[in-house]
Amino acid sequence: MFAPGVAVLLGYVLLVGNPWLNRDLTIALSSADSAARLVNVMLSYPSWHVDVDRVGPFVFWFANLRTVLFVALAVAGLNRVSRWVSDTAGGTGRFVTTAGVTTLGAVVAGLASAAAAVALVDPRSAFPYIPPDRPEEFLLSELGVSASFGVLFGLVLGGVVAGQRRAPASEERRVDAPKSLW
């Protein structure tokens, strides 16, 4: 029903992006060095929230919009990978295309949600996330975070998809009548 990798993507977003695990990971990684911050970006990018009072209205709407857009774009792209990559390209073609689709989905989702936030939210109410006099810093920051997550998760997801065996096409599934033993 879904393309390879969609279950991994959805499972990752539902498990790692959930607000309770994400809160614990943020606390655990908050005082660590830069390598742990990279892990924190990887783990917190597809976060979704259920309690607007705990995170505030800006983070609630921004993170949920970014996550929904990312999942929708990534699932739509992953479902088309098999159409874009021929069987002769093999695992390498699926790996590269899956990593690219995932990265593109993350970057478009991040920039679209950041642009919506800059356009629709008063920067004074979104401080410190959007600097009131420099909203372009927020857009560039979101571009960097989205691209980092997209590349890292795209490489992982590309490895998963490239390692899976493709289901045979409908012509290949056709079984010839058994030959007579006589």
Side-chain angles (χ1 to χ4, degrees):
M1 184 168 140
F2 285 114
V6 171
V8 174
L9 170 82
L10 295 176
Y12 181 84
V13 170
L14 289 175
L15 177 67
V16 176
N18 82 63
W20 303 281
L21 178 64
N22 200 292
R23 179 191 64 215
D24 295 341
L25 288 171
T26 301
I27 291 170
L29 298 174
S30 64
S31 63
D33 59 359
S34 61
R37 287 198 179 114
L38 182 63
V39 172
N40 191 19
V41 166
M42 179 71 173
L43 296 175
S44 67
Y45 182 85
S47 63
W48 45 276
H49 302 282
V50 292
D51 186 7
V52 71
D53 294 331
R54 187 176 75 78
V55 295
F58 176 77
V59 172
F60 178 83
W61 290 109
F62 174 73
N64 286 343
L65 175 63
R66 182 178 68 183
T67 300
V68 166
L69 285 174
F70 169 66
V71 168
L73 292 169
V75 167
L78 288 171
N79 282 331
R80 287 179 175 75
V81 167
S82 64
R83 289 184 223 157
W84 294 334
V85 179
S86 68
D87 290 336
T88 58
T92 304
R94 286 192 303 272
F95 173 81
V96 170
T97 306
T98 300
V101 162
T102 305
T103 302
L104 182 64
V107 169
V108 170
L111 287 178
S113 58
V118 167
L120 301 174
V121 175
D122 180 21
R124 292 178 299 235
S125 68
F127 187 78
Y129 303 106
I130 302 175
D133 54 342
R134 293 182 313 272
E136 65 276 356
E137 285 183 13
F138 178 69
L139 289 168
L140 289 174
S141 171
E142 189 57 33
L143 173 64
V145 168
S146 298
S148 298
F149 169 75
V151 168
L152 291 173
F153 188 66
L155 293 174
V156 171
L157 195 57
V160 169
V161 170
Q164 291 180 342
R165 306 250 354 161
R166 288 182 47 141
S170 59
E171 302 87 41
E172 295 171 358
R173 280 188 236 150
R174 188 177 58 227
V175 178
D176 293 331
K179 299 194 185 226
S180 172
L181 295 174
W182 309 108

